[in-house]
Amino acid sequence: MRTTWRRRSGWITGSAILRSGLGWGGSCFPKDTAAIRAAARDQDYEAVLLDAATELNDRQPDRLLSLLDRHVDVTGERVAVLGLAFKPGTDDVRNARAIPVIDGLQDRNANVVAYDPVAADKMRAHFPAVTYADTPSDALADAAAALVVTDWPEITGLDEEFDAMATPVVIDGRRAIERRDGLVYEGLTW
């Protein structure tokens, strides 16, 4: 059976809607989910499934960072964050998964270098001390690790660019990068 969902920017078909990853963000879906959960509570109904989904979503950035911790101590190290918007095709960083990821990296005293084709200026308001790269290659140069947060085409097409890293550790939160020899690759929930 082929599953089809409609979204503002077009149709999503097949298994793409079932891909797990770093979680949802943006302004609408989190707000709508919270409203449904609140309406359920107002009716003395526990929306257990929605509560569990929200809890799992909120934990995904920590899971991504835990995978990073398995491979490298980022204290004082350059770490590339690839993708800042909550989804490709927008500069919207409201509830973007990059926010808790960058917070976690800063808690680990990493030197964060971030790249996003359109959302860097909006993210700069949240994290003025982060270095913002003009290209993914600039972000990856001499990095101890790379975290894939948003699956922009500019990021999903990366390959040899990872060879410029000091240590090629790629933690993929969107199942966006092809595994290959020469990379230490981890991904969320697959």
Side-chain angles (χ1 to χ4, degrees):
M1 180 168 91
R2 186 173 184 94
T3 305
T4 304
W5 291 61
R6 177 76 169 131
R7 67 176 178 187
R8 286 186 192 147
S9 61
W11 291 95
I12 304 171
T13 60
S15 63
I17 63 169
L18 301 176
R19 280 195 347 197
S20 57
L22 195 48
W24 68 71
S27 62
C28 296
F29 194 73
K31 173 184 54 83
D32 294 346
T33 304
I36 293 168
R37 292 170 66 206
R41 282 189 302 276
D42 288 347
Q43 297 299 313
D44 294 322
Y45 179 79
E46 285 299 317
V48 177
L49 184 60
L50 283 177
D51 292 344
T54 301
E55 180 184 334
L56 178 63
N57 186 71
D58 292 346
R59 287 194 326 240
Q60 291 299 82
D62 289 333
R63 290 190 63 227
L64 183 86
L65 292 166
S66 292
L67 292 173
L68 173 67
D69 293 340
R70 289 184 192 173
H71 297 285
V72 63
D73 177 1
V74 296
T75 304
E77 299 289 340
R78 178 183 177 103
V79 177
V81 175
L82 302 176
L84 301 171
F86 85 91
K87 67 176 185 176
T90 184
D91 66 352
D92 193 346
V93 298
R94 291 176 290 179
N95 296 307
R97 303 288 72 200
I99 294 170
V101 167
I102 293 171
D103 279 335
L105 289 170
Q106 290 181 331
D107 289 346
R108 290 164 172 77
N109 295 311
N111 298 321
V112 178
V113 180
Y115 167 77
D116 190 284
V118 299
D121 287 339
K122 295 248 175 117
M123 191 60 81
R124 192 173 277 117
H126 293 277
F127 298 105
V130 164
T131 300
Y132 294 90
D134 292 329
T135 68
S137 295
D138 292 343
L140 291 169
D142 297 319
L147 303 177
V148 178
V149 177
T150 312
D151 53 346
W152 286 95
E154 293 87 339
I155 295 167
T156 61
L158 295 174
D159 187 13
E160 303 88 33
E161 294 85 352
F162 294 112
D163 296 335
M165 296 174 66
T167 53
V169 175
V170 177
I171 311 298
D172 191 347
R174 295 295 177 191
R175 198 174 182 183
I177 304 302
E178 290 292 322
R179 295 174 190 254
R180 68 167 171 87
D181 289 338
L183 291 182
V184 174
Y185 178 92
E186 289 268 8
L188 281 178
T189 65
W190 60 82

